[in-house]
Amino acid sequence: MAGRSTEELRDRLAGTWWLVSRIDRAGDGTIRQDPALGSDPLGILTYTRDRFAAQFMKRDRSSANTVDPAGSGRNNTSAVGGYDAYFGQYRIGEEGQVMHRLEGALTAANVGQEFARGLHVDGDKLTIVLETATQEGEPVTRTLTWDRIG
């Protein structure tokens, strides 16, 4: 039965998704802003049957407002100049857990890494949840909400 639900999830996931929101919440529920991509980044995500590609961009990348982080939180990639992009293979585990293995990334240190994501598809809505940390090391739960566009 687990194999069937994995295939069903893979089928529902396939397509192109547009980022609606990206919210980081601390343990006490307060929202934290990621300085690398801002509070309302643009994003696009594509899944095929076994591969994915993602791009994120801070809306205002003017030099006065662009932060180049020294690194990223655990279970997360690093943006450069207000932009992040990566692609690779993925596999679906138990209960919607997805492992992304990066074959290519804007930040060379991210190539070859694996990142765990909780994933839920409801019609044309995709929700991805991951545990990460701020640049200062504070644990946060990141929730990304996407709309299907293709």
Side-chain angles (χ1 to χ4, degrees):
M1 187 66 164
R4 181 176 177 182
S5 63
T6 296
E7 284 305 310
E8 288 173 4
L9 179 56
R10 189 180 307 280
D11 289 343
R12 291 192 322 261
L13 182 59
T16 303
W17 303 86
W18 188 255
L19 185 64
V20 174
S21 66
R22 182 177 183 268
I23 300 171
D24 290 352
R25 289 194 188 276
D28 64 3
T30 57
I31 294 176
R32 299 291 187 257
Q33 182 172 316
D34 176 7
L37 294 175
S39 62
D40 188 25
L42 296 169
I44 192 165
L45 174 65
T46 301
Y47 282 97
T48 66
R49 299 234 0 114
D50 61 353
R51 297 199 176 266
F52 75 97
Q55 296 183 60
F56 296 90
M57 186 184 82
K58 187 174 187 175
R59 286 184 187 265
D60 181 0
R61 294 180 65 205
S62 65
S63 59
N65 294 317
T66 300
V67 176
D68 285 325
S72 61
R74 62 179 163 71
N75 194 32
N76 200 11
T77 58
S78 297
V80 175
Y83 196 85
D84 195 8
Y86 47 88
F87 62 89
Q89 296 181 5
Y90 73 96
R91 68 181 186 283
I92 299 173
E94 298 297 318
E95 300 177 18
Q97 184 76 6
V98 176
M99 290 301 297
H100 291 105
R101 187 176 62 77
L102 276 53
E103 295 176 299
L106 181 62
T107 305
N110 292 144
V111 175
Q113 292 186 323
E114 284 196 343
F115 298 104
R117 307 287 185 251
L119 185 142
H120 177 75
V121 181
D122 185 11
D124 289 337
K125 287 278 186 208
L126 167 63
T127 304
I128 298 175
V129 179
L130 63 126
E131 300 301 321
T132 187
T134 64
Q135 290 176 337
E136 296 77 27
E138 178 185 20
V140 293
T141 299
R142 177 168 294 155
T143 303
L144 299 103
T145 304
W146 305 82
D147 281 340
R148 183 185 303 276
I149 60 171

